[in-house]
Amino acid sequence: MGKRIVVIGAVACGPKAASRAKRLMPEAEITLIDKDDLISYGGCGIPYYVSGDIPDENQLRETSFHMLRDEHYFRNAKGLNVLTKTQATDIDRERKVVKVKCLDSGKQDEIPYDNLVLATGSTPFMPPIPGRDLDGVFAISNLHKAIEIKSRLARGEVERVVVIGAGPIGLEMAEAFSDLWGVETTVLEYFDQVLPRLVDPPLARMVEHHLREKGVKVVLNARIKEIRGKDGKVTEVVEENGIYPADLVLFATGVRPNTELAQKAGLLVSPLTRGIVVNDRLQTSDPAIYAGGDCVEIPHLVLGKRVVMPLGSLANREGRVIGDNLAGRPTKFPGTVGAFIMKCFDLAIGACGISLSVARAEGFDAIYALNNQTERAHYYPEADFIFVELVVDRVTRRVLGFQAVGPKTDGTLARIHAISSILPHRPTVEDLIGLELAYAPPFNSALDPIHDVAHTAENILTGLLVQIDWEEVLRRLREGDPNTVFVDTRHPKEAEPLVKKYPGRWIHVEYDKVRANLDKIPRDKDIILICNSSRRAYEAQRWLMAAGYKNTYVPPGGLNFLRRWGVEL
Amino acid sequence: MGKRIVVIGAVACGPKAASRAKRLMPEAEITLIDKDDLISYGGCGIPYYVSGDIPDENQLRETSFHMLRDEHYFRNAKGLNVLTKTQATDIDRERKVVKVKCLDSGKQDEIPYDNLVLATGSTPFMPPIPGRDLDGVFAISNLHKAIEIKSRLARGEVERVVVIGAGPIGLEMAEAFSDLWGVETTVLEYFDQVLPRLVDPPLARMVEHHLREKGVKVVLNARIKEIRGKDGKVTEVVEENGIYPADLVLFATGVRPNTELAQKAGLLVSPLTRGIVVNDRLQTSDPAIYAGGDCVEIPHLVLGKRVVMPLGSLANREGRVIGDNLAGRPTKFPGTVGAFIMKCFDLAIGACGISLSVARAEGFDAIYALNNQTERAHYYPEADFIFVELVVDRVTRRVLGFQAVGPKTDGTLARIHAISSILPHRPTVEDLIGLELAYAPPFNSALDPIHDVAHTAENILTGLLVQIDWEEVLRRLREGDPNTVFVDTRHPKEAEPLVKKYPGRWIHVEYDKVRANLDKIPRDKDIILICNSSRRAYEAQRWLMAAGYKNTYVPPGGLNFLRRWGVEL
């Protein structure tokens, strides 16, 4: 008889581990257990199922060749024993048995194992707000919830939705409600930006503006007091400064690893991350037990500490590593760099590594550089802009993170793919400058946006480029700071309206005429150099610094950023 | 007075080197020389200008903010001395002067330098075929030639074009002629595939089929004898097996580095690659002289030897490295991994590293793996297929190359970006399996096509998957090999036509029923396992091997490849 393996959890990591192990050890006896009857579904596809882009929930459960991944599939095609609607209640590590309970019959049983795999996933975290138990208040903990939400939408019961949390799932769901069902949608976010910690304000503000353009109401710094209902059904969400009527409320406030089983069994669970502790072969503190997916903590290769990173891509890769190890192949899981991408209406948003806010909170002495340029050659038809931010450690010049917001093509994915692939090698800014990135006009510029933002970062680090934050620029402009002059280096026509609006303070000296017009640019004031992308402003700054100017500044990324924030000068 | 720098060549590398050096050393006196009057243009955009996608040639010469990059621009905006229509005729290294001749006036002059930069580019190579001097026979050596070709198209003088060479430029130009001008276009290629050396036959055959579907005639193994004309104008191209009428013939048969000047000056030029020899700071054998762009040889980081790689992306990056070094910053150019991408009608084609054919020709013991899967989650609307090939060294498991053909989204770019970024770190197959690649259903699957093809490669290397080449599969099927049985593991309906067509030899056992139907699958024959992507076939092979079957084989990548080759079974 082959090895006996029990896998608890059958959504992403579990089935992958079980199937891989069985392919490597056809003689093994592998049992896959899940408390649900809907298993092995594409959870990340739920927003597109709710929106209607994907008509049938079974599409999330099918293989690419349209076989439904139900218990029969795993039995017949994969050769696994499958127990659905079965709860694992206890692990007896001494006797190496898992105690299970059939949720339909209530019958209890024991399953012996040589190796056990915990792929118990995570559960949405719902902050203890009064009223969160009302009918119509949801968190997407499984496919059933998604089906229920979609039924309510389809029955026309939902006219107004409040989404709590502006993280990726909150925003994806907001789009699903608003875009395809035309539901009045409000997103309430505790922090002062959307996608907090994931992307920094320069890009987050673009996403926020885009959401508003698309008719989604976004409330930042929201402090929710209560969810109110009538006859047990939700009617409104009460926030400190406003009341938001709602037929449906969705919590998208993060998840917590499911570790009760592990804890009861005495396995090491981190009090800091709440994740099950595993080594790089994904073994728990009991070498006979492996764990993977949303329930474990893994090393963050940039942060240098362990994190819980509930991403479907990691869960699948971890499943394969576990499958290998179960079969005696000592494969390692290297850790994460937090590669992430999402669609938000017409935008793609991606990131990897850590954001500037996280970097500074973690004690890095970090700087940032912004860039915007067309995704493909600027002369190629319909080339749209991609906006990127690079986060770099000032002293070591190590790349800490990268973020991008572009049109919903795959151009953003391309840049995230490049950086996330190289991040484990601890690249410096100079390494990014040296990256070889394919070019042809329909797909890219000769220098990729990655090169350009790395050049900017290097120029900042070496003092060639001196920046000033946009908040400070806007403050000085609006307060009429008498010691600052804005020099617009663009075409005369572009500059004209602002020259008229801010006489004496906003002057025009075109980029290629700077050297010949130094007399127009005062030496005793702060000079803020303006153009659309900050390329011309940077070159103008080089000329001014060469001419002995002391206080010249370039706002990062240029006016194109302001436009995407919906800010008018 | 600042350093005196002379830069010869003002298309890509030259202007970049000069502009960067001037930004770093505003006091330097930098002279940019070119024999042409059209300088600093996006040469890679020429096919899209000829096609009409880009209406005006000046668009190829403009900055992203619509300033024409002519001599005035480089003087005013960049602070360079610019001499156009000026030929550098000699370098006197003793006296450190460049001898120049004004092509308009014939006037000769000398320009002293402290540092010299050779960015002399390359010239199209035209094989010595009789008739290549006829009117109407072109090679795109500069923007003037492109303008002339487009004028002829616009004047309606061109009804039939023959393109000689099916490399990237040949195919891009074939598309320009055929797609937008409706010109009858024939591509003659010496080798037995399109894009020889760049991509291997599995992907090249797809491109070839696509070209034919789009109405382009493709002739492989072409042996051109002569180009014939009438009254000095081209009329037809005579090939060994056919005569192709043509009003316009375009040579796209590669380029040769322009090194006459360097050779005359006694600089080291490689007799092997024909490129100017430079160190990793891009210094020639004379430390006062730098060189970059199409005219130099650079290290190929996978091949382990030096190559000439005439790519606009490299030329730009080399220009910046030279600019740094001129200013005393010891920046290095790391070499190339040959990252390449192109559009061909509705396809994107990309590659990096080396192809299987090159790897084997260079003595590597290389294997290959194919994969096809949807670019985004298979359940996401309009998810189209991407086809990839991975080339791996059998012994070290080192990744040697990667190729992809997908729809003309940026999905192909994304995968090339990931691999080209990591290739300098000499990744193994296991490193690719460990890559973190961002996932959300609108952009990717939980496991990227890179992961999947790396899994396949690993399974081949460890003997879990046993492949058989498609040529052999097709031979056995067509010749009715009595010792081979084809087992179709797909849905019954998919298999039915072939089961009928090849009775007894093509049998159907669905993927999830293999274990229960071993009696149907003979043990004394070669079993070739069939499905669309070879995923099910691989799993079926695992079951058969576990059941003791000795001779089971899976054709790489599945039937989806055959379909894209236009092959009917």
Side-chain angles (χ1 to χ4, degrees), chain B residues 125-278:
Chain B
F125 167 70
M126 291 169 81
I129 294 168
R132 68 177 180 172
D133 300 322
L134 285 163
D135 179 46
V137 178
F138 286 89
I140 298 182
S141 47
N142 55 43
L143 193 48
H144 297 283
K145 298 282 182 184
I147 294 169
E148 171 63 20
I149 291 172
K150 190 165 177 177
S151 316
R152 290 188 184 208
L153 287 163
R155 288 196 302 262
E157 294 171 11
V158 184
E159 283 177 15
R160 283 173 294 200
V161 169
V162 169
V163 176
I164 301 177
I169 292 174
L171 297 190
E172 284 172 348
M173 288 301 294
E175 179 182 349
F177 291 126
S178 161
D179 197 34
L180 280 116
W181 294 97
V183 166
E184 196 186 309
T185 306
T186 303
V187 178
L188 304 181
E189 168 57 48
Y190 180 91
F191 289 98
D192 61 355
Q193 64 162 87
V194 300
L195 300 171
R197 292 177 60 89
L198 273 175
V199 302
D200 290 305
L203 300 191
R205 288 177 73 176
M206 282 184 194
V207 178
E208 186 193 324
H209 183 62
H210 187 66
L211 284 163
R212 293 205 169 108
E213 281 182 327
K214 292 292 179 179
V216 174
K217 191 162 185 174
V218 180
V219 180
L220 303 176
N221 300 305
R223 296 292 177 268
I224 299 169
K225 298 290 166 203
E226 184 188 359
I227 302 171
R228 286 191 194 140
K230 195 181 161 190
D231 304 330
K233 254 189 121 274
V234 68
T235 56
E236 60 191 22
V237 178
V238 182
E239 195 265 337
E240 214 168 48
N241 299 303
I243 291 179
Y244 301 94
D247 321 302
L248 194 151
V249 172
L250 181 77
F251 275 90
T253 37
V255 297
R256 292 276 162 87
N258 294 331
T259 57
E260 306 87 315
L261 203 57
Q263 278 177 303
K264 272 205 291 183
L267 298 176
L268 206 56
V269 174
S270 163
L272 210 61
T273 67
R274 299 169 193 265
I276 300 171
V277 176
V278 289

Side-chain angles (χ1 to χ4, degrees), chain A residues 141-161:
Chain A
S141 46
N142 56 43
L143 192 49
H144 297 283
K145 298 282 182 183
I147 294 169
E148 172 62 19
I149 291 173
K150 189 165 178 177
S151 315
R152 291 188 184 208
L153 287 163
R155 290 196 302 263
E157 294 171 11
V158 184
E159 283 177 14
R160 284 173 294 199
V161 169

Side-chain angles (χ1 to χ4, degrees), chain A residues 78 337 339 410 420 436 539, chain B residues 78 337 376 410 420 436 539:
Chain A
K78 304 286 184 176
V337 296
D410 299 326
S420 74
E436 186 167 337
E539 297 208 38
Chain B
K78 304 287 184 176
V337 296
R376 39 213 97 246
D410 299 326
S420 74
E436 185 167 337
E539 297 208 40

Side-chain angles (χ1 to χ4, degrees), chain A residues 209-254:
Chain A
H209 182 62
H210 187 67
L211 284 163
R212 293 207 169 106
E213 281 182 328
K214 292 290 180 181
V216 174
K217 192 164 182 173
V218 180
V219 179
L220 303 177
N221 299 302
R223 295 293 176 269
I224 299 170
K225 297 292 164 200
E226 185 188 357
I227 301 171
R228 286 192 194 136
K230 198 182 158 186
D231 306 330
K233 249 189 125 278
V234 68
T235 56
E236 60 190 24
V237 179
V238 182
E239 195 266 336
E240 216 169 45
N241 300 303
I243 292 180
Y244 301 95
D247 323 301
L248 194 151
V249 172
L250 182 77
F251 275 90
T253 38

Side-chain angles (χ1 to χ4, degrees), chain A residues 5 67 84 89 103 120 134 145 161 185 217 271 278 289 331 391 399 409 424 431 457 463 490 514 520 527 557 562:
Chain A
I5 295 166
M67 230 179 228
T84 55
T89 55
L103 293 180
T120 45
L134 286 163
K145 298 282 182 183
V161 169
T185 305
K217 192 164 182 173
V278 289
I289 305 179
T331 307
V391 181
V399 174
T409 62
D431 292 328
R490 298 175 297 164
V514 166
K520 290 189 186 163
I527 304 298
L562 284 199

Side-chain angles (χ1 to χ4, degrees), chain A residues 487-499:
Chain A
V487 177
D488 195 323
T489 64
R490 298 175 297 164
H491 297 290
K493 282 210 171 160
E494 290 180 288
E496 198 185 321
L498 292 163
V499 171

Side-chain angles (χ1 to χ4, degrees), chain B residues 387-398:
Chain B
F387 294 79
V388 303
E389 175 174 328
L390 184 66
V391 181
V392 179
D393 185 79
R394 193 192 307 271
V395 182
T396 61
R397 297 189 176 207
R398 183 179 170 204

Side-chain angles (χ1 to χ4, degrees), chain B residues 293-344:
Chain B
D294 290 6
C295 63
V296 300
E297 56 160 42
I298 50 175
H300 193 296
L301 299 175
V302 177
L303 265 181
K305 60 187 207 186
R306 299 175 85 84
V307 295
V308 168
M309 186 72 75
L311 295 173
S313 49
L314 299 180
N316 272 280
R317 283 176 43 226
E318 287 164 9
R320 195 175 192 270
V321 169
I322 292 173
D324 276 357
N325 278 284
L326 289 169
R329 298 187 174 204
T331 307
K332 289 182 183 178
F333 184 78
T336 184
V337 296
F340 138 83
I341 191 156
M342 67 176 287
K343 185 175 102 64
C344 179

